[in-house]
Amino acid sequence: MKNTVFRLATVLLILVAAVGCARQADSTGKAPAIPDSPDGAVLAVAEALQNNHAEILWTALPESYQQDITEVTRSFSEKMDPAVYDRAFALAIRAIEVLDDRKEIILASETFKSAGADEDDIRTGLSNTLVFTDILRVSEVATVAGLGSVDWEQFLATTGNEFIRQAADHEPEDVEMAKVEGRWIPAELADDWDRSIEEARQNLAEITPETMVEQKTQIMMVLGMADGLIEQIASLQTPEEFDAAVGPLLAGFMGGHSMNMGDQSEWETTEEGPEEE
């Protein structure tokens, strides 16, 4: 159940962090209607984002998708222990802050160099993520109570637009579209939707008041250990100290797997979308 809780929390946080990617908000107007053609739908969404209407991302979804998102969000917030969620959310924010603050030490470490990742990508990613954490910190989703009552369309019209204002523009790309309930959406989203929602519902079904009580102490202990590691990293002054503190931990975590992050077949995201496994 512990893994289920973390998995669901991670999915929701990723959803929140990914919903916006364009410019500043003017939530007083209404987002435009979605044309009944694939090209028209894409252009309408792009234009709305350009004109500060991130809520178009919600409007463009089929109605059943909106209902699924609302249902899963509400169910998660009802079953999740507030102390666990709030602590995990705050810890994630703190981790990003520390990683950004200590990034020069981390990037100069042998642990990082052996990973084979690109320094410029890491710097840019941390800088962008840090901006998003400042926005999320004061948003509705910073607490499980706020998450439980969030109106996603309004969230996108306000917090989502703050994401958009800070995000870098991306080059146009070709996207295969599929029509669902009168809405043209990315075919990849349509293909994966039912499976992803069913998996989320199954994971939620595993969370009961009894299992949450049973696992809460263990979960909070894990979060406490993570908090201790984050604060240890915050105190490091040299790359060598980072290697000594974190290198063995990562090696143990990875087990027999390669630590070469240059092979990113499971993780890499490109402008064309996530790489298939």
Side-chain angles (χ1 to χ4, degrees):
M1 199 280 294
K2 178 179 69 176
N3 290 337
T4 297
V5 171
F6 283 137
R7 186 162 57 245
L8 282 167
T10 300
V11 167
L12 283 171
L13 290 176
I14 290 174
L15 170 66
V16 168
V19 287
C21 288
R23 271 177 210 156
Q24 156 147 313
D26 174 12
S27 59
T28 59
K30 295 184 64 177
I34 307 296
D36 189 21
S37 69
D39 291 346
V42 171
L43 291 173
V45 170
E47 183 177 357
L49 291 174
Q50 191 75 13
N51 292 322
N52 310 320
H53 285 291
E55 64 271 25
I56 193 70
L57 297 172
W58 182 261
T59 306
L61 288 175
E63 184 177 352
S64 69
Y65 285 28
Q66 297 175 357
Q67 293 170 348
D68 288 339
I69 293 172
T70 300
E71 174 201 334
V72 169
T73 304
R74 297 288 188 271
S75 180
F76 176 85
S77 63
E78 290 169 359
K79 294 192 172 195
M80 174 56 57
D81 184 281
V84 171
Y85 178 91
D86 296 354
R87 178 77 182 276
F89 192 98
L91 187 62
I93 297 292
R94 175 60 177 158
I96 293 168
E97 293 174 339
V98 168
L99 290 175
D100 182 72
D101 182 63
R102 302 283 89 184
K103 62 178 176 289
E104 297 305 327
I105 290 174
I106 295 171
L107 293 175
S109 69
E110 291 301 322
T111 301
F112 176 83
K113 291 177 181 178
S114 67
D118 185 270
E119 289 190 20
D120 290 337
D121 287 346
I122 296 298
R123 286 191 175 91
T124 300
L126 282 172
S127 178
N128 290 339
T129 304
L130 189 64
V131 172
F132 294 155
T133 62
D134 289 339
I135 297 169
L136 287 174
R137 191 200 309 275
V138 295
S139 74
E140 305 97 303
V141 301
T143 66
V144 74
L147 180 67
S149 60
V150 68
D151 178 327
W152 286 115
E153 184 173 17
Q154 181 62 25
F155 178 89
L156 285 166
T158 53
T159 304
N161 275 304
E162 284 299 312
F163 286 162
I164 285 175
R165 184 175 65 84
Q166 299 292 342
D169 293 333
H170 295 282
E171 292 297 323
E173 59 183 271
D174 292 329
V175 178
E176 183 180 352
M177 304 292 282
K179 196 171 188 179
V180 178
E181 300 171 15
R183 294 293 194 211
W184 286 99
I185 61 175
E188 185 177 4
L189 177 65
D191 291 341
D192 293 341
W193 190 265
D194 289 342
R195 177 187 56 78
S196 298
I197 290 297
E198 181 57 31
E199 181 179 340
R201 288 182 176 130
Q202 291 176 359
N203 289 333
L204 284 167
E206 297 177 18
I207 304 177
T208 67
E210 293 76 21
T211 55
M212 180 57 71
V213 169
E214 292 173 1
Q215 296 292 331
K216 180 177 178 179
T217 300
Q218 185 178 1
I219 294 171
M220 295 299 279
M221 184 180 300
V222 171
L223 292 175
M225 293 171 61
D227 189 23
L229 176 61
I230 291 168
E231 294 309 318
Q232 183 180 4
I233 294 173
S235 69
L236 300 179
Q237 300 299 317
T238 67
E240 292 73 22
E241 290 179 356
F242 181 83
D243 288 329
V246 179
L249 178 65
L250 289 180
F253 177 77
M254 296 297 291
H257 300 287
S258 171
M259 289 183 62
N260 184 358
M261 292 176 65
D263 178 11
Q264 297 175 317
S265 58
E266 289 189 84
W267 303 100
E268 184 175 18
T269 299
T270 67
E271 291 187 348
E272 288 73 33
E275 294 285 342
E276 294 183 2
E277 295 182 16

